[in-house]
Amino acid sequence: MALPIKYSFRNALVRWRSTIATVLGIGLVVFVFVLLQSLAAGIEKSSGNTGDPRNVMIVRKGSTSESASLISRDNLREIRYFEEIARNEQGEAVISADVLVLVNLPRRDGTEANVLLRGVTARGMELRPQVELVAGRWFRPGMREIVVSAKLARRFANFDVGQSFRTGNSTFTVVGWLDGQGSAFDSECWLDADECRSVFERDMYSSFLARVPDAGAMSNLIARIESDRRFKLKAESEVEYYRSQTMTAAPIRWLGGFLAITMSIGAVFAAMNTMYAAVGARTREIGTLRVLGYRRRSVVIALLLEGAMLALVGGVVGCVAAYQWNGYTTATMGFETFSEIVFQFAVTPPLVAQGLVFAVVVGIMGTLLPAIRASRLPVIEALKAI
Amino acid sequence: MPETVVAIRNLSKIYAQGEIQVTALNDVSLDIEMGEFLTLMGPSGSGKSTLLHIIAGIDRPTSGRCLVQNLDVTGLNESELADWRNQNVGFVFQTFNLIPVLTAFENVELPLLLTQLDRSERRRRVQTALDIVGLADRMHHLPKQLSGGQEQRVAIARALVTDPRLVVADEPTGNLDSHSAQEVLMVLQQLSREAGKTVIMVTHDPKAAAYGSRSIHLEKGELLKDEAVTAR
Ligand SMILES: Nc1ncnc2c1ncn2[C@@H]1O[C@H](COP(=O)(O)OP(=O)(O)O)[C@@H](O)[C@H]1O
Ligand SMILES: [Mg+2]
């Protein structure tokens, strides 16, 4: 039978001050781990919750993203007659041809960064109901008006409603702020599609977004476009398209994993050091427990539990620290578009759980050797310890 | 006819330290009867602790046999010994060896957690044991909140809570002032006289030995004198 849990618990707590370095060390590892994962989770969330399951995204074959794709106007003329595409009340095909342009604009802090401008049609706005106007009004075509993402507005100069900025040899006036509800559209600025093409001298479109009436039509449309040799186009569901853009977060996950592993090796040794000292100071106590009839195994389990609890304190510290960043909006350079991508740290419950489990594993690994060594000692030797 | 609780036959313990061999016990034979309060005396290094440890099942002899209640403890493996100690021996140390993070009650309860007894029965037994040593009112105190004498009495309560036949004590008064020592010795004496426990105590204080019913002298691992204590 095992030693009471309170034995491990109180021993962990009684020493927590003296082992504060270990607690903080584990806390730091968990903090870095959870924070980086929450960053990745935030990026994934922003691309993961973008798109409408009834939409099909069409880009040029071989392009990794919408902004790197070029499609001719002829293609649009043909595809809009495909019967797989949904029709509105007027009998028109629900398809929008967008133009994406990367422009370099000054940030509020004086540096510059790329911003993604989307030349969008009225139909394109209907196809993206996620995007809402949160300030000002929508742009009027031909008036050099633009609606910027509210989240970008906090980072870029001249993005307040009423202000204007120059790009593409034109001066645009910001007339409104849009909110993409945590989607990838939070990193975009919208203006009229035709105006966008003329200002930036684009003859080609970047992408088509088409609505389909049902899942069957979706797979038919995708198959039809992909198999037609004339087009050289790639079609996939809009949701799928944005999900594959999630690859952006992979390097951060790798970095997070790498840092977590290297730092946790340090933390394991720190925990081991602490536990060797803690267990060493209690050698006679362990001998006493064994005289009373407790087995080696009970002693090992109690010590592991103690190390795990100590580490858990560190884990909680790390998670609480990381949680301070939850919902904090930040930006990174997109690896696909090289434009500013805004997203929010997402310290999700599974991440917190992972962080805590991680801490406990570090604690147990650090305690294993000291615990085994302590239990190996013959009772008689243990009793003679000072 | 008194019942023999411990029967020691030709017990030897030799420590080999490289070339040199240290004989801690040399061919010791001894019978200890139920209810006896036996004191083991002798100079430092004479083998007292070694003998006590072998009787209590926490050390093994090099040769010879040690039967406790007709069971040869030298033949048990480690986990059998652990169970046997839990059920049959109460151990009192010179340094008390209470667990600092546990209260008096929890310390006394520790050996009972290895038994099948339920919570209320454990509670009853712990209370009885603390009553015997006169510390029922201190059961929620931590060791550091107790005096040395009180700590040692808690340790005695822990030793007797499983109701073992045998209580062994290695210089239990060595770290105590004379008043506390007297309290502890009286409790041990009471255990042998009233509860019929067999008590074996190592000491080198003749005044402490006077509380016992029988005294044994060891020197260089050999049994010298074996005498009944008449006084008191
Ligand atoms: N682990 C050991 N290794 C070597 N010698 C030991 C060991 N334990 C005890 N001894 C020796 O055995 C002898 C008896 O020791 P002990 O029983 O502790 O004596 P006492 O309790 O009478 O002072 C001493 O000479 C001591 O040095
Ligand atoms: Mg000794």
Side-chain angles (χ1 to χ4, degrees):
Chain A
M1 195 160 147
L3 275 154
I5 287 173
K6 64 191 166 205
Y7 172 76
S8 305
F9 181 67
R10 287 185 204 160
N11 270 312
L13 286 195
V14 99
R15 289 182 299 107
W16 79 271
R17 261 178 267 263
S18 65
T19 56
I20 198 126
T22 311
V23 170
L24 289 182
I26 291 174
L28 186 68
V29 178
V30 169
F31 172 74
V32 168
F33 173 77
V34 171
L35 201 67
L36 282 172
Q37 298 299 316
S38 75
L39 209 106
I43 291 173
E44 280 165 12
K45 206 166 149 189
S46 82
S47 22
N49 69 3
T50 306
D52 189 304
R54 297 165 300 171
N55 291 349
V56 173
M57 170 74 87
I58 301 156
V59 294
R60 208 238 305 259
K61 206 162 234 147
S63 18
T64 49
S65 74
E66 238 187 316
S67 58
S69 148
L70 293 168
I71 316 179
S72 76
R73 306 173 67 176
D74 299 339
N75 287 166
L76 178 63
R77 264 180 235 124
E78 288 197 45
I79 291 172
R80 68 194 307 165
Y81 295 110
F82 284 8
E83 60 273 18
E84 289 86 354
I85 297 172
R87 310 278 141 178
N88 62 12
E89 287 94 80
Q90 288 79 43
E92 300 161 323
V94 186
I95 181 165
S96 170
D98 292 353
V99 189
L100 282 109
V101 183
L102 270 177
V103 295
N104 202 254
L105 290 174
R107 286 202 189 105
R108 286 187 191 255
D109 65 8
T111 60
E112 293 191 338
N114 283 335
V115 178
L116 203 57
L117 305 190
R118 179 182 295 274
V120 66
T121 61
R123 193 127 312 137
M125 288 159 73
E126 286 163 28
L127 283 167
R128 296 179 179 90
Q130 262 176 316
V131 177
E132 286 173 352
L133 194 71
V134 289
R137 56 173 174 79
W138 282 112
F139 51 82
R140 284 173 302 176
M143 306 296 287
R144 298 290 185 268
E145 289 178 353
I146 191 162
V147 170
V148 301
S149 143
K151 290 207 175 92
L152 282 179
R154 267 174 238 129
R155 307 180 59 85
F156 281 86
N158 307 319
F159 264 29
D160 289 334
V161 175
Q163 289 186 314
S164 53
F165 58 87
R166 271 193 78 75
T167 185
N169 285 326
S170 296
T171 302
F172 282 93
T173 305
V174 176
V175 295
W177 282 1
L178 64 81
D179 182 81
Q181 297 173 44
S183 69
F185 303 123
D186 274 331
S187 306
E188 297 182 355
C189 300
W190 285 12
L191 66 163
D192 179 65
D194 291 331
E195 191 170 4
C196 185
R197 292 199 305 134
S198 70
V199 168
F200 295 98
E201 293 164 350
R202 291 288 185 88
D203 194 37
M204 310 271 262
Y205 294 107
S206 301
S207 67
F208 301 154
L209 190 64
R211 174 66 50 89
V212 287
D214 52 61
M218 176 172 289
S219 45
N220 288 346
L221 180 64
I222 291 172
R224 181 160 175 193
I225 290 171
E226 296 255 340
S227 63
D228 197 323
R229 288 291 197 72
R230 290 171 303 160
F231 293 145
K232 297 193 177 67
L233 293 177
K234 185 171 97 181
E236 61 186 324
S237 100
E238 189 189 18
V239 174
E240 205 51 54
Y241 167 80
Y242 280 103
R243 199 172 288 148
S244 63
Q245 296 289 303
T246 304
M247 284 306 287
T248 318
I252 293 171
R253 281 219 186 273
W254 294 334
L255 179 69
F258 176 75
L259 278 181
I261 288 169
T262 46
M263 287 176 71
S264 64
I265 292 171
V268 165
F269 278 102
M272 208 181 280
N273 211 31
T274 306
M275 287 308 290
Y276 265 127
V279 169
R282 295 218 308 272
T283 305
R284 191 151 47 87
E285 177 176 316
I286 290 164
T288 305
L289 290 171
R290 297 203 35 218
V291 169
L292 297 181
Y294 285 92
R295 308 283 178 86
R296 290 173 197 273
R297 191 167 17 106
S298 308
V299 171
V300 170
I301 290 170
L303 292 174
L304 287 181
L305 212 57
E306 182 178 329
M309 285 178 185
L310 197 69
L312 196 63
V313 175
V316 169
V317 168
C319 284
V320 166
Y323 195 76
Q324 307 306 308
W325 266 265
N326 189 37
Y328 178 81
T329 303
T330 185
T332 180
M333 196 177 73
F335 290 90
E336 303 287 355
T337 58
F338 298 105
S339 69
E340 192 101 321
I341 307 255
V342 289
F343 60 93
Q344 294 177 322
F345 282 86
V347 182
T348 57
L351 264 185
V352 170
Q354 274 177 39
L356 294 181
V357 168
F358 186 69
V360 167
V361 169
V362 166
I364 288 177
M365 283 184 9
T367 314
L368 198 59
L369 288 180
I372 287 174
R373 185 169 83 169
S375 76
R376 280 273 171 90
L377 208 60
V379 185
I380 197 80
E381 303 288 323
L383 283 178
K384 281 176 184 165
I386 315 104
Chain B
M1 201 189 115
E3 186 191 333
T4 300
V5 176
V6 182
I8 293 163
R9 295 287 174 271
N10 311 105
L11 209 62
S12 292
K13 177 77 180 183
I14 297 158
Y15 290 104
Q17 286 182 316
E19 297 288 281
I20 317 151
Q21 291 199 332
V22 181
T23 306
L25 288 176
N26 188 12
D27 197 31
V28 173
S29 295
L30 177 69
D31 280 342
I32 305 168
E33 270 141 33
M34 193 166 95
E36 263 190 319
F37 185 174
L38 180 80
T39 56
L40 285 175
M41 308 250 314
S44 188
S46 57
K48 307 182 295 293
S49 295
T50 305
L51 180 58
L52 197 72
H53 289 149
I54 292 171
I55 296 170
I58 56 182
D59 203 355
R60 289 175 189 281
T62 310
S63 63
R65 295 206 303 161
C66 177
L67 283 82
V68 181
Q69 293 172 281
N70 298 322
L71 179 82
D72 187 358
V73 289
T74 59
L76 299 180
N77 69 27
E78 197 186 283
S79 44
E80 288 166 343
L81 262 183
D83 290 343
W84 178 82
R85 280 197 302 268
N86 179 255
Q87 289 152 21
N88 296 283
V89 194
F91 208 106
V92 181
F93 306 88
Q94 179 176 356
T95 47
F96 324 142
N97 292 12
L98 297 179
I99 310 302
V101 297
L102 300 180
T103 63
F105 182 95
E106 290 159 351
N107 265 286
V108 176
E109 193 187 20
L110 269 183
L112 292 184
L113 294 176
L114 294 166
T115 66
Q116 303 293 320
L117 300 176
D118 66 24
R119 203 186 166 80
S120 60
E121 177 62 15
R122 291 203 302 266
R123 175 163 207 93
R124 201 184 60 75
R125 289 219 192 180
V126 172
Q127 259 156 355
T128 308
L130 282 169
D131 265 333
I132 291 173
V133 299
L135 285 173
D137 56 335
R138 298 295 156 91
M139 63 183 183
H140 298 305
H141 289 226
L142 288 170
K144 64 165 181 258
Q145 298 167 319
L146 300 171
S147 71
Q150 290 171 331
E151 278 197 73
Q152 192 62 299
R153 276 145 68 199
V154 171
I156 293 172
R158 179 177 67 186
L160 57 89
V161 75
T162 53
D163 197 22
R165 275 294 176 84
L166 206 57
V167 173
V168 301
D170 195 347
E171 307 201 31
T173 58
N175 282 10
L176 298 178
D177 62 78
S178 60
H179 177 72
S180 301
Q182 200 184 335
E183 282 178 342
V184 163
L185 291 165
M186 301 229 295
V187 171
L188 291 174
Q189 190 177 52
Q190 189 193 340
L191 283 180
S192 79
R193 284 193 184 163
E194 289 164 28
K197 306 262 177 247
T198 304
V199 180
I200 309 171
M201 177 177 77
V202 168
T203 183
H204 43 225
D205 177 7
K207 275 191 281 180
Y211 283 81
S213 60
R214 180 182 167 199
S215 186
I216 281 175
H217 286 252
L218 280 174
E219 207 148 312
K220 293 188 178 133
E222 287 179 37
L223 224 146
L224 277 192
K225 269 196 289 183
D226 186 347
E227 58 189 10
V229 178
T230 42
R232 300 173 91 108

